[in-house]
Amino acid sequence: APQRQAAERLSKAAALLAPHASLAQAVHGMREKAERLRSSRFTIALFGAFSAGKSSLANALLGEAVLPVSPNPTTAAVNRIVPPTAEHPHGTAAVLMKSREAMLDDLRYSLNLLGEDAQSLSDDALLQTIQKLTPDAVHAGGRPHYSFLKAAAKGWAAHEAHLGQRLAVSGEEFQLYVAEESRSCFVSEIELHHSNPLTAQGIVLVDTPGADSVNARHTGVAFNYIKNADAILFVTYYNHAFSQADRQFLLQLGRVKDQFELDKMFFIVNAADLAADEEERDGVLAHVERNLQQHGIRFPRMFPVSSLQALDGKRMNDKALIEQSGISAFEASFLSFTSGDLGALAVTAAEQELARARSTIANWLEAASGDALSREQAKADIIAHASRARSLADELNEPQANAKLQQELKELLFYVLQRVQLRFGDHYNFAFNPSSLQDDGRDLRKAMWTSWLELQRLLQIELAQELEATSLRLDNMLGKLAVKKFTEVAAEAGAQLPGFEASDFKPAQPESPEAQSPWQAKEVDTKLLWSKFKSPRHFFEGDGKAALRSELETQLTAPMQRWLQAAEEAWSIRYTELWNQAMMLCADTLRKDLDAFSEGKLASLSDNADVEELRRVHTALAAI
């Protein structure tokens, strides 16, 4: 409601100012803001392991069993629940299939992780290799990939022809594309148009693939939702420990939490009805909170919820059951966030636009009220002052690197390597563990190799996530430096041109940088791994495991440094270009503001200036 009211005020002001040609830019800005306020959509992104009950929670929030709960959602696509439109009525969906190239790339990647050399295989040979796979000795980290490969082989004949296409499907077909792994593994994203209490408020609900799915290597997909969603819901199951994938994802949330203007993260402990009593429930919540704090997430907003009770309660309109489920407490907090914290930012921006319009009209009115002689002198002054003020804006166009930004880039990437090395032990212990290297008849040489591939995968994800978090910090710093520069130059221009107030400058949001090729350590080979391994007992009870860790830490430092150095070189160029683009936008915005102000003031000083009309507009603006 506050946003709709702000949109209405802006629309009234725009209609009032529209007849004044010199205010065309301000009118355009007001109308744009008003439209954004009216049609604003809030995006909620759901994250968590597949067994945490994300789909169940989504259904509870929607008040209907919209998303099927899949038994094997390790390859799940992104599911977006959006409002219906005239072209896309309630219950219809669009399925975006992976491209053929992306699908084959995923197959080869997963095969490589299972120790198969798939890079040079033809399409037919790929499928034949997948058919021969058995679950014996598959590393814990490789299980989602094994499941994905088998599902792809099963569905290949039916779905190969649709790769790269956007399919329009019914609600029934939508359920199949979500729930059947032999279909879902070919899907990139699904958009379901659905009428429910959330979408009626303009809320888009996004159910993302689990952090433990094969999609986890495409870290950019998850990061874009972390960065751009209005709210993030991380779901964990009541009696499940955080998985290795969960921990990596939570570390990423911890890295970026302080980079958002508002704390937009909510943490849901699902299936809270499993607690024997309140004391047990509080103990579990305290445990989850400690885990979140260890991952850099301090003062988390946590809510115990039973999504099944909540859905049943909403279906039966049983208020007591809804309250008992715990979902009411979360929804009240979330509503306060969207209408209060989040909505307030938009409303404040609208109010600032109105205040600036009032100030500008008041300045023109004051100028128009002078006698003929003073008006002539004022016109000459404005022409001279406006020219000097405009030259300040022109200076912003001179290309240059920003030293502060470049220094920040160097420092941030320096600490990336240190943090990854500190966490190396956790990844190493997960990859080289007794269950993966048992002497039970399996090929131990191959098992050692797949353990190394798992370690490399974990480090690849860690490095990619660190770069994503670094890019967000640099983007935010660039934005703050650009606003600071604009504010300083606008203040100088205001000193030259009395009464001038610049508009609110909003820097362009840079696209996420193009992902670097995944980090790899080609220095590591089977010979190195096997040299430290005599038997599982010697490896885990003797000094084999510690010796291999020490050797790998030494061997991996140089390739990590080279990888980060390549990122630094590419990003140094990127952020110089972004800074100069930001300065060009600053200059253009300031020039337009200066021209609009000086033209309007000159018009108010002319002999045919309508002082009464300016008074009427000023009074009307004050009343809005």
Side-chain angles (χ1 to χ4, degrees), residues 155-182:
W156 185 264
H159 301 290
E160 180 192 8
H162 298 305
L163 289 172
Q165 295 181 8
R166 187 179 180 86
L167 310 175
V169 302
S170 66
E172 291 76 13
E173 289 174 298
F174 160 79
Q175 299 265 337
L176 296 175
Y177 274 102
V178 174
E180 288 185 5
E181 198 168 14
S182 59

Side-chain angles (χ1 to χ4, degrees), residues 461-525:
I461 291 173
E462 185 92 3
L463 284 162
Q465 289 181 338
E466 281 279 4
L467 275 198
E468 288 162 353
T470 300
S471 76
L472 181 59
R473 289 184 179 278
L474 289 168
D475 289 351
N476 285 350
M477 185 177 186
L478 184 147
K480 287 173 183 174
L481 289 171
V483 169
K484 184 173 183 286
K485 187 68 174 176
F486 179 86
T487 305
E488 288 170 353
V489 177
E492 288 182 56
Q496 293 286 349
L497 194 59
F500 169 72
E501 287 183 36
S503 58
D504 184 31
F505 178 69
K506 190 169 180 61
Q509 179 69 41
E511 292 289 323
S512 294
E514 191 173 332
Q516 251 184 268
S517 297
W519 170 81
Q520 285 186 311
K522 295 179 180 176
E523 295 84 347
V524 178
D525 57 20

Side-chain angles (χ1 to χ4, degrees), residues 4 31 53 105 150-151 163 212 271 327 329 347 372 388 458 490 582:
R4 287 196 297 272
R31 284 176 172 160
D105 184 45
K150 288 298 186 180
L163 289 172
D212 43 3
I327 201 151
V347 172
R388 287 198 292 271
L458 294 170

Side-chain angles (χ1 to χ4, degrees), residues 1-110:
Q3 287 183 239
R4 287 196 297 272
Q5 290 161 8
E8 187 61 29
R9 290 198 292 274
L10 282 174
S11 294
K12 284 182 181 177
L16 191 64
L17 301 176
H20 300 267
S22 54
L23 286 170
Q25 187 187 351
V27 168
H28 177 69
M30 286 178 173
R31 284 176 172 160
E32 273 196 336
K33 276 192 175 74
E35 183 53 34
R36 282 201 301 271
L37 286 164
R38 282 194 200 94
S39 61
S40 63
R41 284 188 176 184
F42 291 122
T43 299
I44 308 175
L46 284 172
F47 292 99
F50 74 82
S51 57
K54 285 189 292 100
S55 298
S56 297
L57 179 70
N59 290 335
L61 293 172
L62 296 168
E64 187 180 338
V66 178
L67 288 171
V69 180
S70 172
N72 297 299
T74 52
T75 60
V78 172
N79 291 305
R80 291 165 45 84
I81 315 298
V82 301
T85 64
E87 299 80 24
H88 303 284
H90 169 75
T92 59
V95 177
L96 180 63
M97 303 290 279
K98 293 177 184 176
S99 69
R100 184 183 184 84
E101 182 184 2
M103 188 66 192
L104 291 172
D105 184 45
D106 285 349
L107 294 177
R108 289 193 171 92
Y109 176 83
S110 291

